[in-house]
Amino acid sequence: MIKVTGYAAKHSFSRLKKYEFEREEATAHEVEIDVLYCGVCHSDIHQVKNEWSNTVYPCVPGHEIVGRVTKVGPAVRRHAVGDLVGVGCMIDSCGACEPCRCGDQNYCASPNSWLATYNGPMQPKAKAGGENIYGRDNTFGGYSNLLVVKEDFVLKIPAKLKPEEAAPILCAGVTTYSPMKHWNVKAGDKVGIIGMGGLGHMAAKLAKAMGAEVTVFTTTREKIEEAQRLGVDAVMEDDKKALERLATHFSFMLSTIPEKHDLNPFLELLQRDGVLCVVGALEPLAPVDNQPVAFKRRSVAGSLIGNLAETQEVLDFCAEHGIAPDIELIRMQDINDAYKKVENGDVRFRYVIDMASLKEEIDEAA
Amino acid sequence: MIKVTGYAAKHSFSRLKKYEFEREEATAHEVEIDVLYCGVCHSDIHQVKNEWSNTVYPCVPGHEIVGRVTKVGPAVRRHAVGDLVGVGCMIDSCGACEPCRCGDQNYCASPNSWLATYNGPMQPKAKAGGENIYGRDNTFGGYSNLLVVKEDFVLKIPAKLKPEEAAPILCAGVTTYSPMKHWNVKAGDKVGIIGMGGLGHMAAKLAKAMGAEVTVFTTTREKIEEAQRLGVDAVMEDDKKALERLATHFSFMLSTIPEKHDLNPFLELLQRDGVLCVVGALEPLAPVDNQPVAFKRRSVAGSLIGNLAETQEVLDFCAEHGIAPDIELIRMQDINDAYKKVENGDVRFRYVIDMASLKEEIDEAA
């Protein structure tokens, strides 16, 4: 066993605090990773607060992880000691179901679905008929100094990317990239991005690099200029005249708002056969009026992160196109304040934890 | 001008009564039709009662019309006097917009959209910036003895179909056929049909003829056996165990329920990338939980009737496969009672008005 230090929440109402635990040594196909950076995703907050009613405590969040390989199991072929690597939302899947065989581990159809980087199987034992193919009811994520992960679930960080900037690509990046690829966003397409936070600003950058004409919708006046600096159009969500002008404009829209919201004002902005895909919220949304949906054969869809191949693809795509998320580095010890700011939309645009701060704390305690 | 007799509602709260009005003589490209049969669609009731807040009174409903050509304009090429023909929901469209040029008149993108068989342009003048390309604020439908329609919007009724049974194919048939074709329903597919009324029972027959494995969901116990007589599976909507067994079973589901309803119990029944298309209700639906949607990249879509080519296609398809809606013939004079029964789900499965009854009434009055 390896002694590990992380930051955990013990209850839905508790702040994150230093937490010591153990990880199993790397087995044949696993690699050990010294964590350098970990992004702060809005879903970390949902999970810590048990807002999806499925949190297993203690909860060590973190699924936008960049680090350096420090050990490899004897059968590991993909990675070597010293490699800069990344780990996203998943660390295992059944490998046998139809989606897994198609490479869509993020839609693993086994009773437990995939194994999340933190919080254990997506479908815990109780929801999977008492079964747990992973043998682990809980998993501890990247808010920690060390990780052990199956090599197939470890991504390569391209040399052109700064490690700290690569971290948010592993969730915010692939979560927005995957649906844009799936619904075939291409050069010249008109794409609308609803919300401009961690996911939204990455979506805007990615869509622009794909050659799309991008418009961002925001409720924060200051973000209008920030979007324009990214080279995309921006509209206030409550600007009714602007919304009217954009009627039937978009072939694809992506909602990145991380909570319940009303899609109706955006439905009219879709072309015939247009798709509005919701990736931010995992909860009941406001009632959708089927009249604008049916009248132009529109669709409201959802999408969940992306598969491993897409995750590597978006990392490489970002390196190739010189794209990186806008980040603010924080110390591990400032995580509770950071959560408050994320909830208030007061971050431009993604906090990334510099794990050097955690290691200092470990050294001081030693 | 031609004197015509129909049945009209004068207000949202009034019963349908005999109503005399005039139609323009057939111009060069128009045909005059002696109406033989007209189906009773649930949307006739919504429209009469102004439940979509857009009814123009007096309202002469009826858009499932079968009749015989009695006159043709000099330029008419498609139809001849004596032909058995049909008219569905549309009698004109702009012909110039992108959807019209693609043959999708039902998604006409002109400011007035298409011209409905009754109730005038889909987008009336006030909603179309004061414009009305059709020059008609109201139109009178098939609850009448005679119709004059542009030849392009007149369908051919195949000889193998009984005229009275062909009528509901012109709306209930094509409304369910079009989305099944669009989302590529094919032999071996597992298709779920929610609701088993006028649309639902046609959807079940069509999907079965396409070679799909069909399951119907109903709230009416007696319809279970009726569905089984059609050779399809049937499940009570509140049978939780049956719903659980059908989790991730369907690639395509069609909701034909003609009013606000909850889609959530059906979302889990869709496969990954499955589509639930809503054709019955044109109003805000109950809130949809994005968790089951996103977790399997499902879509909730809508679709509006079908285009002219699809309408001819479904008529021919029904003739070829020996499919017909189950109908109950009624007299024009019994329409108000029939509406009550439709609202109570007390019809198996479509009322069709025999226009001989209206003609008797006209003769008696003469």
Side-chain angles (χ1 to χ4, degrees):
Chain A
M1 301 297 279
I2 315 165
K3 287 196 169 176
V4 180
T5 304
Y7 260 60
K10 298 272 178 79
H11 313 284
S12 62
F13 47 84
S14 74
R15 293 162 60 88
L16 294 175
K17 286 182 192 158
K18 194 171 109 171
Y19 173 65
E20 293 181 340
F21 58 99
E22 294 185 325
R23 298 195 190 271
E24 304 264 354
E25 298 274 354
T27 57
H29 288 283
E30 290 181 327
V31 304
E32 186 185 293
I33 301 166
D34 173 41
V35 180
L36 300 174
Y37 298 101
C38 186
V40 178
C41 179
H42 205 121
S43 59
D44 297 350
I45 304 174
H46 287 309
Q47 199 71 73
V48 160
K49 293 190 162 185
N50 197 22
E51 286 172 355
W52 294 322
S53 307
N54 71 339
T55 305
V56 192
Y57 294 99
C59 177
V60 177
H63 59 206
E64 296 183 340
I65 305 160
V66 167
R68 208 166 281 283
V69 175
T70 44
K71 261 190 203 166
V72 297
V76 166
R77 294 290 170 269
R78 289 169 175 264
H79 309 286
V81 171
D83 284 0
L84 198 66
V85 295
V87 176
C89 299
M90 305 180 284
I91 54 170
D92 208 352
S93 75
C94 85
C97 68
E98 188 268 341
C100 280
R101 279 181 281 119
C102 296
D104 281 342
Q105 306 85 358
N106 52 323
Y107 297 111
C108 174
S110 71
N112 297 112
S113 194
W114 40 276
L115 184 65
T117 304
Y118 67 88
N119 210 54
M122 284 299 279
Q123 294 296 327
K125 207 156 119 176
K127 282 198 171 180
E131 197 178 347
N132 185 348
I133 58 170
Y134 304 110
R136 300 156 75 175
D137 292 324
N138 199 3
T139 47
F140 295 133
Y143 293 11
S144 63
N145 64 319
L146 183 148
L147 212 66
V148 177
V149 182
K150 244 188 183 177
E151 65 162 333
D152 291 352
F153 286 76
V154 174
L155 292 308
K156 293 179 183 302
I157 304 298
K160 280 188 190 171
L161 294 179
K162 289 189 192 166
E164 62 272 34
E165 291 178 351
I169 300 172
L170 292 152
C171 171
V174 72
T175 295
T176 55
Y177 179 83
S178 172
M180 291 198 283
K181 295 300 281 188
H182 180 74
W183 277 283
N184 194 28
V185 168
K186 55 190 187 311
D189 283 2
K190 286 158 183 133
V191 170
I193 308 293
I194 306 166
M196 193 183 167
L199 267 67
H201 94 292
M202 270 310 285
K205 290 184 182 198
L206 290 167
K208 186 167 181 280
M210 289 172 183
E213 293 177 28
V214 182
T215 305
V216 165
F217 296 84
T218 177
T219 51
T220 310
R221 185 150 306 278
E222 308 87 67
K223 288 189 180 175
I224 297 282
E225 271 186 35
E226 293 170 21
Q228 287 161 348
R229 268 200 297 277
L230 303 184
V232 305
D233 287 336
V235 169
M236 289 297 288
E237 276 184 29
D238 60 0
D239 181 345
K240 286 190 181 165
K241 286 200 174 166
L243 296 193
E244 265 174 37
R245 274 196 306 276
L246 290 169
T248 72
H249 185 76
F250 300 103
S251 57
F252 184 76
M253 299 188 82
L254 194 71
S255 171
T256 68
I257 298 174
E259 58 202 15
K260 179 177 173 171
H261 57 287
D262 185 7
L263 302 178
N264 291 295
F266 303 107
L267 294 173
E268 294 281 7
L269 311 195
L270 286 172
Q271 296 170 8
R272 180 170 58 121
D273 293 321
V275 174
L276 194 171
C277 178
V278 178
V279 292
L282 291 175
E283 57 208 291
L285 302 174
V288 165
D289 186 354
N290 193 47
Q291 186 155 327
V293 174
F295 273 46
K296 296 220 178 283
R297 202 165 50 194
R298 293 155 170 149
S299 296
V300 178
S303 174
L304 189 68
I305 53 169
N307 67 28
L308 289 169
E310 287 165 336
T311 313
Q312 190 62 59
E313 225 176 272
V314 65
L315 286 163
D316 298 343
F317 183 88
C318 287
E320 187 190 335
H321 290 85
I323 298 172
D326 295 354
I327 64 162
E328 297 186 42
L329 274 183
I330 58 166
R331 293 172 55 81
M332 186 73 255
Q333 296 77 11
D334 295 331
I335 189 66
N336 294 296
D337 286 344
Y339 274 18
K340 278 185 208 142
K341 287 183 182 162
V342 170
E343 289 186 299
N344 294 330
D346 192 16
V347 49
R348 298 294 187 276
F349 284 93
R350 198 64 149 184
Y351 286 126
V352 173
I353 308 163
D354 183 347
M355 283 302 156
S357 60
L358 177 62
K359 290 165 197 167
E360 282 169 23
E361 192 177 347
I362 298 169
D363 289 345
E364 279 166 24
Chain B
M1 301 297 279
I2 314 166
K3 287 197 169 175
V4 181
T5 304
Y7 260 59
K10 297 274 176 77
H11 312 284
S12 62
F13 47 83
S14 74
R15 293 162 60 88
L16 294 175
K17 284 182 194 157
K18 194 172 109 172
Y19 173 65
E20 293 183 340
F21 59 98
E22 293 185 325
R23 296 196 190 271
E24 305 263 356
E25 299 275 354
T27 57
H29 288 282
E30 289 181 328
V31 304
E32 186 185 294
I33 300 166
D34 174 42
V35 179
L36 299 174
Y37 298 100
C38 186
V40 177
C41 179
H42 206 121
S43 59
D44 298 349
I45 304 173
H46 287 309
Q47 199 71 71
V48 159
K49 293 190 160 183
N50 197 22
E51 286 172 355
W52 294 322
S53 307
N54 70 340
T55 305
V56 191
Y57 294 98
C59 177
V60 177
H63 59 207
E64 295 184 340
I65 305 161
V66 167
R68 208 167 281 283
V69 176
T70 44
K71 262 190 202 167
V72 297
V76 166
R77 294 290 170 271
R78 290 169 176 263
H79 309 286
V81 170
D83 284 0
L84 197 66
V85 295
V87 176
C89 299
M90 305 180 285
I91 53 171
D92 209 351
S93 75
C94 84
C97 68
E98 188 268 340
C100 279
R101 278 181 283 119
C102 296
D104 280 342
Q105 306 85 358
N106 52 323
Y107 297 111
C108 174
S110 71
N112 298 110
S113 194
W114 40 276
L115 183 65
T117 303
Y118 66 88
N119 210 54
M122 285 296 281
Q123 294 296 328
K125 206 156 118 176
K127 281 198 171 180
E131 198 179 346
N132 184 347
I133 58 170
Y134 303 111
R136 301 157 75 175
D137 292 325
N138 198 3
T139 47
F140 296 133
Y143 291 12
S144 62
N145 64 320
L146 182 148
L147 212 67
V148 177
V149 181
K150 245 187 182 177
E151 66 162 335
D152 290 352
F153 286 76
V154 174
L155 291 308
K156 293 179 182 302
I157 303 299
K160 280 188 189 170
L161 294 178
K162 289 188 192 167
E164 62 272 33
E165 291 177 352
I169 300 171
L170 291 152
C171 171
V174 71
T175 295
T176 55
Y177 179 83
S178 173
M180 291 199 283
K181 294 300 280 189
H182 180 75
W183 277 283
N184 194 30
V185 168
K186 56 190 186 311
D189 283 2
K190 286 158 183 133
V191 170
I193 309 292
I194 306 165
M196 193 182 166
L199 267 68
H201 93 291
M202 270 309 285
K205 290 185 182 198
L206 291 166
K208 186 168 182 279
M210 288 172 183
E213 291 178 30
V214 182
T215 304
V216 165
F217 296 84
T218 178
T219 52
T220 311
R221 185 151 305 278
E222 307 87 67
K223 288 189 180 174
I224 297 282
E225 271 186 35
E226 293 169 24
Q228 288 162 347
R229 269 201 296 278
L230 303 185
V232 305
D233 286 336
V235 169
M236 290 296 289
E237 277 184 29
D238 60 0
D239 182 345
K240 286 188 182 167
K241 285 200 174 167
L243 296 193
E244 265 174 38
R245 273 196 306 276
L246 290 168
T248 72
H249 185 76
F250 300 102
S251 56
F252 184 77
M253 299 189 81
L254 194 70
S255 170
T256 67
I257 299 174
E259 58 203 13
K260 179 178 173 170
H261 58 287
D262 185 6
L263 302 178
N264 292 295
F266 303 106
L267 294 173
E268 295 281 7
L269 311 195
L270 288 171
Q271 296 170 6
R272 180 171 58 122
D273 292 321
V275 173
L276 194 171
C277 178
V278 177
V279 291
L282 291 174
E283 57 209 290
L285 302 174
V288 164
D289 186 355
N290 193 48
Q291 187 155 327
V293 174
F295 273 45
K296 296 222 178 280
R297 202 166 50 195
R298 293 155 170 150
S299 297
V300 178
S303 173
L304 190 68
I305 53 169
N307 66 29
L308 289 170
E310 287 166 335
T311 313
Q312 191 61 60
E313 224 176 274
V314 66
L315 286 163
D316 297 343
F317 183 88
C318 286
E320 186 190 335
H321 290 84
I323 298 172
D326 294 354
I327 64 162
E328 296 186 43
L329 273 183
I330 58 166
R331 293 171 55 81
M332 186 73 256
Q333 296 76 11
D334 296 332
I335 189 65
N336 295 296
D337 285 344
Y339 273 20
K340 278 186 208 143
K341 288 183 181 161
V342 171
E343 287 185 301
N344 294 331
D346 192 17
V347 49
R348 297 296 186 276
F349 283 94
R350 198 64 148 185
Y351 286 127
V352 173
I353 308 162
D354 182 348
M355 283 303 156
S357 60
L358 177 63
K359 289 164 197 168
E360 282 168 23
E361 192 176 347
I362 298 169
D363 290 345
E364 278 166 24

